[in-house]
Amino acid sequence: MTVPCVRVPRTAGERTRQALAELDLVDAGHEIVHEDGRLFIPVTDPGAVPEEYETVSKALPRRETQTTPADLLAFDPSYERLGEVIIVDEDDPERARELADAVVASDIPTKTVLNRASKVQGVERVREWEVLVGEETEAVHREYGCEFALDLAAVYFSPRLATERHRVTEQVREGEQAFDMFAGVGPFAIPFANGGATVVGVDINERAVEYLRENADRNGVTDRVTAIHGDVADVATEYEGWADRVVMNLPHSAEEFVDSAVGIAGAETVIHYYDIQHEDDLFGPGERALRDAAAPGYELTVENRHTVRSYAPHEYNVVLDVRLERR
Ligand SMILES: C[S@@+](CC[C@H](N)C(=O)[O-])C[C@H]1O[C@@H](n2cnc3c(N)ncnc32)[C@H](O)[C@@H]1O
């Protein structure tokens, strides 16, 4: 029986497999097959495969299935993987323990199982964790061909934003100057530099900046990434007129930094502005704040209004891509 799969040259195989895995599209029930210099990667939903990939049908061998936590539990578990660190979100201690045990008993490579013990909090947006298995809270995570080391107990990181970060990264052009105002461990900054941009990444969390430097090194882009520890409101004054692209990923508080973002902007600059808003007016507050800051020096065009994910009942994480052109 044939199954839907993506056909790519072998040289693009691992990159493509990772991109499809990020989208949760790889069909684990069939083998990936190599034939005549091309890879056939089985997919669960050909309709959801991005247009850039070629989808075909092919008979692929069934795969010896691995044991997952779901195979061992009476409930449908939800968890995220950051390398060998498994993240769960269970309020009930008994259920959390059962899930942790199932993760360990499954075939998932596991060093640590962490349960979310608080919301992200404070200026540094770091969460508290309950360690259910193991000790280490440091993970090495791969995303769209880049590798990120990070300590979840010390810095912010969310694998859920991978697709959104990739959407923005695809817009980056060789040689452009990009300024990441709230860079964390570099999940925007590093892929931007990988795409040929010269990047400045700022964070108020010193540990995040240390990881940003380490991750630039891990990904071979040290020469294109300047990592700065500090309050971006101060750092921005040293980069007036510098940026072709600005990323503002500090939902809840980005509005406080729109003047700094406009200060960094060059003659023509795209700003990616992340926000969390009520469904009644998802984009209005951000757009008004940006327009107020940009006038009178710039013409502002909203190029994209996009909902990234649901955040809470009636609240959404959204992004505005706006282009500023100096008058
Ligand atoms: C939501 S996290 C985003 C991190 C990263 N961009 C990512 O996607 O993983 C926001 C980051 O902004 C940093 N931050 C908060 N206030 C800041 C400020 N005034 N100046 C620079 N960084 C700040 C926090 O330490 C945190 O790492």
Side-chain angles (χ1 to χ4, degrees):
M1 202 182 83
T2 62
V3 294
C5 46
V6 165
R7 178 164 66 185
V8 283
R10 189 179 178 181
T11 47
E14 179 51 19
R15 192 170 2 110
T16 306
R17 190 199 62 75
Q18 278 183 21
L20 295 170
E22 289 292 345
L23 298 169
D24 213 11
L25 285 173
V26 178
D27 169 8
H30 291 87
E31 297 284 357
I32 297 174
V33 166
H34 174 220
E35 213 175 85
D36 298 332
R38 288 180 298 188
L39 279 196
F40 294 82
I41 305 170
V43 290
T44 49
D45 179 3
V49 170
E51 276 175 17
E52 62 195 278
Y53 301 115
E54 183 191 9
T55 318
V56 296
S57 271
K58 186 170 173 61
L60 298 180
R62 283 207 157 274
R63 194 162 173 224
E64 287 290 318
T65 48
Q66 297 200 317
T67 305
T68 68
D71 299 328
L72 304 169
L73 291 165
F75 58 89
D76 195 14
S78 157
Y79 56 89
E80 287 171 290
R81 289 173 64 176
L82 280 187
E84 295 188 3
V85 177
I86 312 300
I87 300 172
V88 304
D89 190 4
E90 293 292 345
D91 292 335
D92 176 353
E94 216 170 285
R95 215 172 123 109
R97 173 50 47 202
E98 237 185 292
L99 176 49
D101 290 346
V103 167
V104 172
S106 77
D107 289 325
I108 298 177
T110 305
K111 181 174 69 175
T112 313
V113 182
L114 301 176
N115 193 10
R116 290 193 171 93
S118 77
K119 294 187 163 194
V120 292
Q121 54 198 9
V123 173
E124 297 180 353
R125 315 305 295 148
V126 179
R127 199 187 284 283
E128 284 174 14
W129 300 96
E130 177 192 6
V131 182
L132 295 170
V133 174
E135 284 170 13
E136 272 187 58
T137 48
E138 186 176 71
V140 178
H141 172 66
R142 292 189 66 80
E143 187 174 296
Y144 285 100
C146 292
E147 192 174 279
F148 302 98
L150 58 115
D151 183 348
L152 281 163
V155 301
Y156 173 91
F157 190 82
S158 172
R160 292 181 190 171
L161 300 176
T163 308
E164 168 57 19
R165 292 193 275 256
H166 185 59
R167 181 190 73 82
V168 175
T169 299
E170 282 190 313
Q171 299 170 33
V172 171
R173 295 289 161 256
E174 176 96 35
E176 72 171 45
Q177 299 189 156
F179 195 109
D180 189 348
M181 295 177 72
F182 313 101
V185 304
F188 285 98
I190 304 293
F192 284 13
N194 223 6
T198 299
V199 185
V200 173
V202 181
D203 207 287
I204 207 161
N205 178 346
E206 192 164 9
R207 293 294 307 285
V209 176
E210 285 166 12
Y211 275 115
L212 173 56
R213 288 199 186 106
E214 178 182 338
N215 291 331
D217 193 28
R218 274 177 181 266
N219 292 280
V221 291
T222 310
D223 54 337
R224 287 201 292 282
V225 175
T226 304
I228 303 176
H229 170 225
D231 184 333
V232 72
D234 301 329
V235 179
T237 59
E238 292 158 35
Y239 284 88
E240 272 178 22
W242 183 83
D244 303 312
R245 186 179 305 280
V246 176
V247 178
M248 302 182 72
N249 184 18
L250 186 62
H252 294 299
S253 314
E255 200 175 325
E256 295 164 29
F257 296 90
V258 285
D259 289 331
S260 295
V262 172
I264 303 164
E268 186 172 345
T269 297
V270 174
I271 301 179
H272 306 280
Y273 178 95
Y274 291 88
D275 206 355
I276 287 173
Q277 289 294 343
H278 192 270
E279 62 191 2
D280 288 348
D281 191 8
L282 289 175
F283 304 102
E287 192 173 329
R288 284 189 288 277
L290 287 161
R291 281 194 188 282
D292 285 352
Y298 287 94
E299 195 74 51
L300 182 150
T301 315
V302 179
E303 297 198 326
N304 180 40
R305 296 177 181 85
H306 173 63
T307 301
V308 178
R309 61 176 173 145
S310 149
Y311 177 76
H314 309 291
E315 284 190 311
Y316 290 87
N317 185 184
V318 296
V319 59
L320 283 162
D321 297 341
V322 303
R323 184 175 296 275
L324 303 188
E325 288 166 289
R326 200 173 274 149
R327 289 187 212 276

